Amino acid sequence: LNDRGQVRYLRVEFAAAVRDFTAAIECQPGFEVPYYNRGLVRYRLEFDEAMKDFRKVLELNPQFEDAALSLKQAILDKEEKQKRGY
């Protein structure tokens, strides 16, 4: 499911990718990678949901550096979007 989600993400099939990553999470809720991948998709759609996923990754694996960087970037981008009023 995680791999299929990756393929769908690369094909810009975001809704399908989110469904696959969510299904992967339901199958294995302690595996942080599908949360991270879903966060990457959600980053393109809605910052708050992406930040939830990145925080969950860091809860499961505090050493996941890409998740920490992605969380910081999502926070900065959300703030910038709010400053610009859109």
Side-chain angles (χ1 to χ4, degrees):
L1 292 168
N2 186 67
D3 290 343
R4 187 172 68 186
Q6 285 282 62
V7 171
R8 288 180 168 170
Y9 173 68
L10 294 172
R11 291 181 179 168
V12 194
E13 298 171 3
F14 292 151
V18 167
R19 283 193 302 273
D20 284 343
F21 294 134
T22 300
I25 289 165
E26 290 169 357
C27 289
Q28 212 171 358
F31 183 41
E32 71 271 15
V33 174
Y35 288 101
Y36 177 71
N37 290 332
R38 188 175 69 179
L40 292 176
V41 177
R42 287 179 164 177
Y43 172 83
R44 300 189 182 301
L45 305 171
E46 214 290 290
F47 292 123
D48 289 332
E49 293 301 313
M51 290 186 289
K52 286 179 191 176
D53 281 338
F54 296 142
R55 286 185 177 111
K56 181 65 178 179
V57 172
L58 295 170
E59 176 186 314
L60 294 169
N61 180 358
Q63 305 306 315
F64 200 122
E65 291 181 27
D66 286 344
L69 292 172
S70 294
L71 176 59
K72 287 178 188 176
Q73 191 62 53
I75 291 168
L76 291 172
D77 289 347
K78 180 182 176 183
E79 289 172 356
E80 184 64 26
K81 184 177 178 182
Q82 288 172 334
K83 283 182 195 174
R84 293 180 183 212
Y86 53 80

